[in-house]
Amino acid sequence: MRRPPVVMAFLVICCLVFTATPASAAVVPGVTYRGEGTFYGATGVGNCSYDATGDTAIAALNHTDYDNSAMCGAYLRATGPLGEVTVKIVDRCPECAPGDVDFSEAAFARIANPTAGRVPISWRLVSPDISGPVSYRYKEGSSQWWCGIQVRNHRNPVAKLEVRVGSGWVSLPRYQYNYFISESGTGCGSDIRITDIYGQTLTDTGIAIRERVDQPGRAQFTKR
């Protein structure tokens, strides 16, 4: 269960530079992070605005590394006293210190005895095997005058989402609840281009403004 934060026993590695990253991020590929692991009653619902799921390989990331939802949908491979587990980030843990991960009960049990409650862990980003292309969801209330767009089923973390406006592209800001928002409706219903943290881009057309419907794109980010 979630418990009051304590002083971390490990330092977070934070100073490596990964030049292929198109935008600055709190979590850098190729870096191993250290912190503490805990567990909670995870359902898949949380700050990332995903739906409830039967998948137990999920977790919440500490507020700092959550990075305004930049790590929503990211996959981490965590190591604890008893072994390894790969989890998808679906939520934010506001009381967790940098480096900490709050796992589902089942995921925590893969790396530690649940009676321990809190254990030292290390983790890093991974680019897993997943099926199907990326998908897009328009937020409820979206229209030609305002819209929110969320990317789902992405192998690698999404760094940027752009919409086509005329002959160019406009980047939309991302909010903590994991939607890219067009406050004025600019680009709502137009072509979408997304970029992952490795600089790979995918462009999709024909993604209509349909509230709370997952619409598949045509491709998936390459495994890294």
Side-chain angles (χ1 to χ4, degrees):
M1 62 181 65
R2 290 187 178 174
R3 303 162 188 263
V6 298
V7 177
M8 290 176 56
F10 297 88
L11 294 177
V12 176
I13 302 172
C14 62
C15 302
L16 299 183
V17 177
F18 188 76
T19 56
T21 303
S24 61
V27 177
V28 180
V31 174
T32 297
Y33 295 86
R34 300 183 187 277
E36 294 190 322
T38 50
F39 65 90
Y40 73 114
T43 64
V45 175
N47 263 181
C48 290
S49 301
Y50 296 144
D51 304 322
T53 176
D55 185 0
T56 58
I58 54 177
L61 194 58
N62 68 83
H63 174 77
T64 299
D65 295 328
Y66 181 81
D67 193 19
N68 193 45
S69 79
M71 286 297 108
C72 281
Y75 291 86
L76 310 181
R77 182 165 297 146
T79 302
L82 298 183
E84 284 189 341
V85 66
T86 297
V87 292
K88 178 182 176 179
I89 297 303
V90 299
D91 200 1
R92 176 178 66 100
C93 180
E95 68 270 29
C96 291
D100 289 357
V101 180
D102 205 11
F103 300 89
S104 71
E105 262 188 271
F108 185 86
R110 296 278 301 277
I111 62 169
N113 190 324
T115 60
R118 180 182 294 270
V119 297
I121 60 168
S122 63
W123 55 269
R124 59 186 175 86
L125 279 175
V126 291
S127 182
D129 291 323
I130 60 175
S131 61
V134 300
S135 63
Y136 304 91
R137 174 177 284 202
Y138 271 96
K139 189 169 173 46
E140 61 273 14
S142 292
S143 69
Q144 60 182 312
W145 297 284
W146 178 95
C147 68
I149 307 171
Q150 183 183 89
V151 188
R152 295 188 166 202
N153 198 48
H154 46 90
R155 173 177 280 126
N156 305 322
V158 175
K160 182 167 60 173
L161 183 146
E162 301 165 283
V163 290
R164 188 183 294 280
V165 179
S167 59
W169 294 93
V170 173
S171 180
L172 298 185
R174 189 179 200 166
Y175 283 66
Q176 192 177 81
Y177 52 90
N178 192 32
Y179 274 90
F180 294 86
I181 301 298
S182 175
E183 294 287 358
S184 64
T186 298
C188 295
S190 67
D191 300 346
I192 298 173
R193 182 169 70 183
I194 57 175
T195 306
D196 72 4
I197 61 172
Y198 300 99
Q200 300 179 95
T201 62
L202 298 174
T203 302
D204 282 295
T205 61
I207 307 299
I209 302 175
R210 299 172 61 197
E211 299 179 29
R212 296 185 59 80
V213 175
D214 292 353
Q215 301 180 65
R218 292 180 293 181
Q220 180 60 255
F221 289 124
T222 302
K223 189 172 181 177
R224 300 301 296 260

